[in-house]
Amino acid sequence: MSNDKRRRPPVGHLEAAFGISLDPELLERALTHRSFAYENGGLPTNERLEFLGDSVLGVVITAALFHNHPDLPEGQLAKLRASVVNMRALADVARGLGPQGLGPYLLLGKGEETTGGRDKASILADTLEALLGAIYLQYGLDTASIVIHRLFDPLMADSAGRGAALDWKTSLQELTAALGVGVPEYRIDDAGPDHAKTFTAWVVVAGQRYGGAEGRSKKEAEQRAAEAAWRTLSEQVAEPTEVPPDQPTTAPDAAAPTGPAGVPALAGEPVPAAGSVPASADGVSIPDPDPSGSRRA
């Protein structure tokens, strides 16, 4: 027995995440990455199962979107499907399988093991598709469809709520444009060796920083930071301003505070006065290096 098999968690946790039990031989095949197969005498890999699972996943998600959104045109349905069936989305679903995610169950070669393969989005997405292919082979389309809905229904609902953009950076840009608070700006830090870098992204909107989200690529980190900002700003816009019952809703001769372009200020964020210095990411004002204003003269 290989070291990978000895140290991986009980497969019962993984099967519980799917809601079914899997034939041990099919399960083993679905978890076998080509790097492990090549280092162990040319074992069968999971690539054929991945090919099958990709098609099963596509038809189930496509049918669900078709029936759930009867008024959407073909182009919008295609965008919705692309927001659900993509490498990053599948990898996120894989990371949520069982108490430890799918990574610890993978059979990887030494090279992939040392370069962070257990959390590599492409490997996680491919292995999830291989597992879906194995479920289809063992149980058929009806059971595979139940498993896919169990895993992907929350993601489909979330994607449908994002509007026309369907990716977080575009959704955030549409939201900030509607609020009149400018274009989001992204900041990226990286850490770790070249073969296993992690990236941390923040997005700055109207002087406020959101995110601090990590990813294995700059794109992934930026998408997660944009998601954090979109959710926070959407919640602020949705929150009603409470007014004591014994007071009028507006003071006489006083206009409601507005942000840029006359848009009401976001809840909890005072509108900056003209010439004031924006707050830093931690909410602390940044001192003006030239208080005399000579550079601005």
Side-chain angles (χ1 to χ4, degrees):
M1 182 181 292
S2 71
N3 290 332
D4 290 60
K5 295 178 185 178
R6 278 196 293 267
R7 65 171 174 256
R8 75 182 179 193
V11 296
H13 295 312
L14 186 60
E15 292 175 325
F18 290 119
I20 57 167
S21 60
L22 270 167
D23 174 79
E25 186 176 340
L26 267 177
L27 177 61
E28 201 77 2
R29 177 83 59 87
L31 295 172
T32 302
H33 187 258
R34 63 177 176 269
S35 61
F36 181 87
Y38 296 159
E39 291 180 11
N40 288 272
L43 296 173
T45 75
N46 64 4
E47 291 176 353
R48 282 171 53 84
L49 286 174
E50 174 204 335
F51 169 78
L52 179 61
D54 175 67
S55 296
V56 173
L57 176 63
V59 74
V60 172
I61 296 297
T62 300
L65 294 173
F66 179 86
H67 291 296
N68 293 342
H69 305 282
D71 298 325
L72 285 185
E74 179 270 342
Q76 189 67 9
L77 287 172
K79 289 181 180 179
L80 266 175
R81 181 178 59 191
S83 73
V84 175
V85 184
N86 65 73
M87 182 180 68
R88 177 177 174 264
L90 267 65
D92 284 344
V93 170
R95 292 183 181 107
L97 292 174
Q100 300 180 55
L102 183 56
Y105 297 93
L106 304 176
L107 296 175
L108 298 176
K110 293 182 178 64
E112 286 293 354
E113 186 74 62
T114 57
T115 57
R118 292 191 183 278
D119 193 48
K120 192 175 291 184
S122 59
I123 293 178
L124 289 171
D126 291 347
T127 306
L128 178 58
E129 289 180 331
L131 286 163
L132 295 176
I135 292 168
Y136 170 79
L137 279 183
Q138 183 171 346
Y139 291 100
L141 184 58
D142 288 345
T143 298
S145 179
I146 291 170
V147 172
I148 289 169
H149 279 286
R150 176 181 183 140
L151 299 178
F152 287 87
D153 275 359
L155 186 58
M156 283 194 283
D158 187 62
S159 295
R162 268 183 253 167
L166 302 179
D167 76 87
W168 291 114
K169 289 182 69 174
T170 309
S171 295
L172 177 61
Q173 188 161 335
E174 289 181 350
L175 178 60
T176 58
L179 296 174
V181 292
V183 178
E185 298 179 11
Y186 292 86
R187 305 284 186 267
I188 295 281
D189 287 339
D190 60 72
D194 289 341
H195 67 271
K197 276 191 181 297
T198 57
F199 298 89
T200 304
W202 291 268
V203 56
V204 180
V205 177
Q208 296 296 314
R209 187 172 72 168
Y210 305 87
E214 292 188 354
R216 294 298 301 273
S217 67
K218 292 180 180 180
K219 182 178 179 180
E220 182 179 358
E222 286 180 348
Q223 286 285 347
R224 290 179 174 172
E227 176 184 356
W230 186 91
R231 292 189 184 281
T232 301
L233 292 175
S234 296
E235 288 171 3
Q236 289 180 348
V237 172
E239 288 176 359
T241 304
E242 294 186 5
V243 179
D246 57 342
Q247 294 186 14
T249 56
T250 57
D253 302 324
T258 61
V263 177
L266 297 177
E269 296 186 9
V271 180
S276 65
V277 179
S280 71
D282 300 316
V284 179
S285 295
I286 304 171
D288 189 342
D290 184 27
S292 67
S294 58
R295 295 182 189 175
R296 296 188 292 271

